[in-house]
Amino acid sequence: MSVQPQPWGQTNASWTPCTQRSTDAIVIRFSGEVCPPCPVRQACTTATIRGSQLTIRDQKAQQALDAARAEQSTQQWQDKYKLRAGADGTRTSHLAQLELALTA
C-alpha cells in the first residue's frame, strides 16, 4: 500500500499487512517526527516516544471486535470472567507445584 496524506495534513510512514490473532489487518504507522507538533495528536495516540500506529481490519472483523469489547464492559461478563480467572490461577498453581515435585 502507498503512503497517504491524512485530513489534518500529516503523512503516514508505512502501511504494513499483517496477521494479528489469526485475523488479517493492516498496520499504519506515522513517524515520531510528525506526531508531536500535530494539533490532533491527543485524539490519535497516547504514545510518548514514537509516532502513532493504527490497526485496520476488514469491516466484519472490526464489528466482531467492537461487539466483544462492548460485551466485556458489562458487569455480567466481568463477573463470569472473575470465576474463570480464579480457576485459571488455581490450575496454574497446581501445575507449578506438580512441576516442582517432579524435579525434586
Side-chain angles (χ1 to χ4, degrees):
M1 299 236 171
S2 64
V3 174
Q4 298 291 320
Q6 299 305 309
W8 55 90
Q10 302 302 336
T11 301
N12 52 44
S14 68
W15 288 52
T16 307
C18 67
T19 301
Q20 295 181 343
R21 298 184 179 126
S22 302
T23 302
D24 291 335
I26 297 172
V27 175
I28 303 171
R29 289 189 173 88
F30 293 84
S31 86
E33 289 126 23
V34 300
C35 284
C38 181
V40 295
R41 183 177 191 279
Q42 296 292 330
C44 281
T45 185
T46 57
T48 58
I49 298 173
R50 297 183 197 103
S52 63
Q53 173 176 306
L54 305 172
T55 301
I56 299 174
R57 297 163 193 84
D58 70 44
Q59 185 175 7
K60 187 176 180 179
Q62 186 63 50
Q63 287 172 336
L65 180 60
D66 292 344
R69 287 178 174 164
E71 183 182 7
Q72 290 172 4
S73 68
T74 66
Q75 190 63 46
Q76 180 183 6
W77 188 93
Q78 291 173 10
D79 290 344
K80 185 177 177 182
Y81 185 78
K82 284 179 192 176
L83 293 173
R84 177 185 169 187
D88 284 350
T90 300
R91 181 181 52 83
T92 301
S93 177
H94 287 306
L95 288 173
Q97 289 174 9
L98 178 61
E99 184 178 335
L100 285 174
L102 293 174
T103 59

